[in-house]
Each structure stands twice: as structure tokens, then as C-alpha cells.
Amino acid sequence: MTTATAGGADAVPPVDKRPPERSERPAQPRPRRSVTGTRKIVATAFLLPALVLLGALVLYPIGYSVYRSFFDQSGTGFAGVDNYKALFTDDTIRTAVKNNAIWVVFAPTISTALGLIFAVLTERIRWGTAFKLIVFMPMAISMLAAGIIFRLVYDQAPERGVANAVWVGVHDTFAESAGYPKAHPLPVHPLKAGGGGSFVTKVPVRAGEPVQLPLVGVAPAKMPTDAKPAKAATAQSGKVAGTAWLDFTKGGGGKPNVIDTKELGLKGLEVEAVRNGKVVASAKAAADGTFTLPASADGALLRLPASNFKEPYNGVDWLGPTLVTPGIIGSYVWMWAGFAMVLIAAGLAGLPRELLEAARVDGANEWQVFRRITVPMLAPVLAVVLVTLMINVLKIFDLVFIIAPGSSQDDANVLALQLYRSSFGTDADLGIGSAIAVLLLLLVIPVMIFNIRRMRREGRR
């Protein structure tokens, strides 16, 4: 048997153990598939109905409103930018723009601030959940119902309006109101007009001679509940005594200038003795109408000052031209402070408690913890609430339309209400109405863009 020699034909070649050289051509990326694993045409088919609805219900109305805003009232004549000029030259629309600015600045700020205060304080009380429920409850009420409620709250008559009932009660606690508005003497009475709403005796009074001061014009129902039957004054030596009473008998039968048994004294009526234009003495009538003046009143004229007869204090005109917008903003805050509180409370629950406790351990008081730690950490939530409420108040309509009376509606006017009045009022001008709608859209867009960017930044964190 022949043995193979080195280098012979039957020799086994050596094995190359080096790794193969990598190809210089980059690998081809795999085609990406959609998240749902469907093709684009299938996804488009599903999105198409939604896109059609979006275009029909959103894009088309916006486009047509922009188009219509460049035409006149009839819609046949091209008006150019005249409708937009009217937004800044018409006094009514300018008032609406000014009021919208007031709404955007104050309503979201106050609602957010109250929501923050409520959310922080309710964490420290045992019945915080019940309090949150009560504060949030107005959100369950529609704008229409809330408007009706506050229209009654702001009613001018204290017997109906809660706000004025409270205000008048506080006022009358510190300032005595007039008791007998519209009271006056008859021509046959011993009194005459004294100027400025007062009444004076026709002749000077004398000590020791009783004086009678009868008045009429006071409804029996308006008399003080503790008034007593009028009593004739007893003559007093060196003093001027008299009686002030309501010279009116229910059912008739009474005589002028005569105190009848059913006639009541004018309790609290102020009587002044005036000599040479100066008050030398004064007194107030008792429950039976009697009063007594010192000897210095001898020979003077008796005067019933106008303060006895001025109209009673009826509170504040909440729905007048001056306070109607702040009043309606107050009703908005009543509704939406609960919304702000709930969102802020949710953000507050997610704060790391160890940071708050560390600050307290380092010596920070509660105000410093709130201002330096709680508020900065809640800034994203506060921004959400504030921006949401800003968008909401830009289109406020219901509360203003319902609460503001017709006499003050121009003073409380806002853009959304003016849009309704310009488009569907007695002198409807769809060109002006469309221009207002476009203006509202332009005002809302920057706020929405800010909100979207903020949400994207939060999503990347």
C-alpha cells in the first residue's frame, strides 16, 4: 500500500479558520407595517366616513363663514373688509370685545385660584370629600338653570333677591333706614313743606301747649309692628310736648287733625325745633307718637327732617350697567370653581409627599411649602385648567343671555351673544355675524395651539 507523501496529489489542504469578510453592501430595511397590521388603503377606508363628517360639520361651516363674511347683509354684494371694520367701529361690538377681554382675564383666573385653594384646604379636613361634592355640584346644573337661579339671586327687590336681602340686612344693621317714605301732611294739617323733602309747622310752638303733627300716606302694612295707638300729649310746664301720628282710620270714619282710637303713633319719627335756621332741640316720637322737647324749643318752628321720608335702602343694582358683567362672572365662577378644584385635587394627589415633608423638616412654613413647592409642581395642571377655562369663556353665551335684563344686555354684551343678535336678531346681518364668528375662531386658535404644544411637551417627558 502506497503512503501519500507531503505535497502529493492525495494531500489534504489546510482548513482556513479566518472569519469570512463582511459584505460592504448595507442590509435592506424591512418594510414597516402599521400598528394594526392593516394596509394603508384599509385604514383610509375606515377613516373616510369620519373625514367626510369632519369636513361636512366642521370644515365646510368654517369655510362658508369666512366666505360669507366678505359679503353684505343680503349676501349678493361684495363688501370686502367692511364687515371686519365694523367690528372695531361699532360701539355695541366694541363693548362685546371689551367684555370678552374682561371675561378671559378674570373668570378663568378666579376660578382656578379658588379651585387651587379648595383643593389644598380640603386635604386637611375630615369632611373634605363632602365639601368637594358640594362645590362640584353646580357643574351638574345646566347653564340655563344656573342663569335662572342667579337672575333671582340678583333681583333688585330684597324680598326676592338673596344678594340684596343679605346686603340690605347688613346695611340696616349699621345704618338706620327711614321709617316713613312717602308720608306727607294734608292741606288742612298744621304742617307745610319746608324744602328739601322736610315739613315744618305753619306757626311757632309754645311751651305748655300740646302740638299735633298728623301725617298721611303711610300704608298700614308699612307701620312698625310695635307701634301703639296714638295718644294725646299732656301739657308740661316749660316744655313743648306733642304727638305725631298717622291721621288715617281703617274703614273710614276718622276726622282730620283729631286722634282717633284706631290711629297709630309714628314711632321713631324725628322732630326738630328750629330757630333762625338752627336746630335748638330734637326728639323722637315714642311708640304712641308722643314726644317732648326742652324749654329751648319755646317759640321755635317744629321741623320733620327729610331723613324721615327718604326711600328705604333697597340694596345694590347688581344687574345695572356697572355691575352686570362682574355679577355674571360671579355666577360663572360658582359653576366652574368645582371643575377646577377636582382637576387640581387629582394633580395634588400625585405629588411626591417626601418633598413636602423634607421642606417642612428643613424649617419651611406652610405658606412657603405652598408657594415654593406645591404651586410650581402643580404648574402643568394649573395650565390645563386655565387654558380650558379661557377657551370656555371665549364662547360664553347662556349666562349673559339669561341673567342680563334687556336694559343692561348691551352693557353685558359678549362676542357670542353679539354673534347671535347679529345673525338672528330683528336687523339680522349675516355678513357681520360671519365676521364675528371668524373673529372668535381667530381668538380661540392661539389658545388651542398653546394647549396642544404644552400637551406634546408633557407627553415627551
Side-chain angles (χ1 to χ4, degrees), residues 4-338:
T5 57
D10 294 334
V12 179
V15 179
D16 189 0
K17 296 183 179 181
R18 292 178 301 173
E21 296 182 0
R22 294 182 179 180
S23 174
E24 297 296 332
R25 187 167 58 182
Q28 296 294 329
R30 294 182 179 181
R32 297 182 62 184
R33 302 177 66 186
S34 65
V35 177
T36 58
T38 59
R39 296 181 179 179
K40 291 183 179 180
I41 189 170
V42 177
T44 304
F46 278 100
L47 287 175
L48 188 59
L51 293 176
V52 171
L53 288 176
L54 181 66
L57 301 179
V58 178
L59 298 181
Y60 172 75
I62 292 175
Y64 183 77
S65 296
V66 174
Y67 168 80
R68 185 64 179 83
S69 67
F70 291 103
F71 286 83
D72 58 11
Q73 182 176 4
S74 63
T76 57
F78 184 74
V81 295
D82 291 345
N83 292 328
Y84 291 95
K85 290 180 180 178
L87 301 183
F88 303 99
T89 56
D90 184 88
D91 291 337
T92 303
I93 301 178
R94 285 166 59 186
T95 300
V97 174
K98 180 193 73 175
N99 287 339
N100 257 101
I102 294 174
W103 272 88
V104 169
V105 171
F106 290 100
T109 305
I110 297 174
S111 299
T112 305
L114 285 178
L116 175 61
I117 294 172
F118 291 156
V120 172
L121 293 182
T122 51
E123 279 202 333
R124 300 176 176 273
I125 54 180
R126 296 180 59 184
W127 41 272
T129 303
F131 180 81
K132 289 179 182 178
L133 178 63
I134 294 173
V135 175
F136 186 74
M137 194 176 296
M139 283 295 299
I141 303 174
S142 67
M143 287 281 197
L144 174 64
I148 295 174
I149 290 172
F150 274 87
R151 182 65 182 269
L152 296 175
V153 168
Y154 291 138
D155 195 291
Q156 180 67 34
E159 60 270 17
R160 293 194 302 271
V162 176
N164 264 343
V166 175
W167 193 269
V168 170
V170 173
H171 174 273
D172 291 347
T173 301
F174 299 98
E176 186 177 356
S177 60
Y180 306 102
K182 299 182 180 179
H184 61 278
L186 291 175
V188 296
H189 286 169
L191 291 167
K192 64 179 181 178
S198 65
F199 300 102
V200 297
T201 54
K202 296 177 181 178
V203 295
V205 296
R206 295 297 177 184
E209 299 179 3
V211 182
Q212 293 183 339
L213 302 178
L215 292 174
V216 295
V218 181
K222 298 293 184 181
M223 290 289 291
T225 56
D226 54 349
K228 297 180 180 180
K231 178 182 177 182
T234 303
Q236 300 182 32
S237 178
K239 296 182 179 181
V240 176
T243 304
W245 82 98
L246 178 62
D247 195 10
F248 173 80
T249 303
K250 288 184 179 181
K255 295 180 180 180
N257 299 333
V258 176
I259 300 175
D260 298 310
T261 56
K262 295 182 179 180
E263 295 175 348
L264 299 176
L266 297 175
K267 179 186 177 182
L269 188 76
E270 186 175 1
V271 182
E272 297 176 343
V274 180
R275 180 183 288 111
N276 298 326
K278 296 182 179 180
V279 178
V280 295
S282 65
K284 286 189 176 183
D288 57 4
T290 58
F291 62 89
T292 303
L293 293 169
S296 57
D298 184 28
L301 293 174
L302 296 191
R303 180 175 67 185
L304 304 180
S307 58
N308 290 312
F309 312 109
K310 65 182 180 180
E311 292 291 335
Y313 182 71
N314 284 324
V316 178
D317 188 6
W318 298 103
L319 299 181
T322 305
L323 296 177
V324 62
T325 295
I328 300 174
I329 290 177
S331 66
Y332 178 90
V333 171
W334 176 76
M335 289 191 67
W336 288 89

Side-chain angles (χ1 to χ4, degrees), residues 417-425 427-430 432-433 436:
L417 177 59
Q418 185 59 38
L419 168 61
Y420 170 79
R421 295 168 66 179
S422 297
S423 301
F424 306 105
D427 299 323
D429 188 338
L430 291 180
I432 296 291
I436 297 175

